[in-house]
Amino acid sequence: MSKNKKKSAPRRREKALTPAQQVKRRLGEFNWRLLLMLAVNTVVIFGLYRILVGLGYFVIISSIYFLVLLGLICGYIIYNRAMVARNITPDQLPEDWSEEKKKEFFAEAERRVKRSKWMLTLIFPLCITFCFEIIYLYIIDPWMNR
């Protein structure tokens, strides 16, 4: 045996996280600001909808909300280029593209998703409003009027 053999540094074991620690770590990464924005937008949009429906503007407000929702969904899909970069790998892109162009393609797709996140904070509350309205119209109202 040679005496010049280097000793490797002792390996530091990664401490396994308990389930409670994993939950705490994930909650720290959770986007609470986005959740708060979604909750506030949902309350405002749903509240405004119910107030205007109560005042007798059901057809008008339903049409406006539906057109806004349709416009936002179409805008989100068009702006994000129909999410074409979602489930593809760099080797599925055209072979004549350079590596830099492929990286730029994925970076641009990521930027577009981040920039259009505000649309989702309006799309989801509008969808929730329509879901509650459908539940009210087809389940609650007929049950209450028996």
Side-chain angles (χ1 to χ4, degrees):
M1 287 194 151
S2 106
K3 291 188 176 183
N4 294 337
K5 192 174 185 183
K6 290 184 179 179
K7 288 185 178 180
S8 61
R11 281 188 151 174
R12 213 168 119 187
R13 289 187 182 179
E14 289 290 326
K15 190 176 179 182
L17 296 176
T18 64
Q21 291 171 330
Q22 290 176 353
V23 169
K24 281 184 182 179
R25 178 179 280 177
R26 287 188 182 145
L27 284 176
E29 297 170 358
F30 188 75
N31 193 344
W32 292 102
R33 183 174 172 237
L34 181 62
L35 179 66
L36 179 65
M37 194 180 328
L38 280 170
V40 168
N41 283 351
T42 301
V43 168
V44 169
I45 288 172
F46 185 75
L48 183 65
Y49 181 83
R50 292 307 304 164
I51 289 170
L52 291 173
V53 166
L55 293 175
Y57 298 110
F58 176 74
V59 174
I60 295 169
I61 195 66
S62 295
S63 301
I64 290 171
Y65 268 49
F66 183 73
L67 290 173
V68 168
L69 178 62
L70 185 65
L72 283 170
I73 290 172
C74 289
Y76 185 80
I77 291 171
I78 291 169
Y79 184 74
N80 286 302
R81 297 180 181 165
M83 304 292 189
V84 293
R86 196 139 205 213
N87 291 320
I88 60 171
T89 59
D91 55 321
Q92 292 174 327
L93 293 174
E95 292 179 11
D96 59 335
W97 282 15
S98 66
E99 288 300 317
E100 185 176 308
K101 188 171 183 178
K102 290 178 182 182
K103 286 179 184 177
E104 185 179 314
F105 174 79
F106 287 114
E108 178 65 23
E110 185 67 30
R111 278 194 301 273
R112 286 177 175 273
V113 168
K114 286 182 180 178
R115 277 193 234 141
S116 63
K117 192 180 281 188
W118 69 269
M119 286 187 219
L120 291 177
T121 64
L122 295 174
I123 290 172
F124 283 118
L126 285 167
C127 287
I128 291 169
T129 300
F130 278 115
C131 287
F132 278 118
E133 185 62 26
I134 289 170
I135 290 169
Y136 178 77
L137 284 174
Y138 293 105
I139 297 173
I140 297 173
D141 194 35
W143 184 72
M144 299 273 292
N145 292 328
R146 283 186 172 187

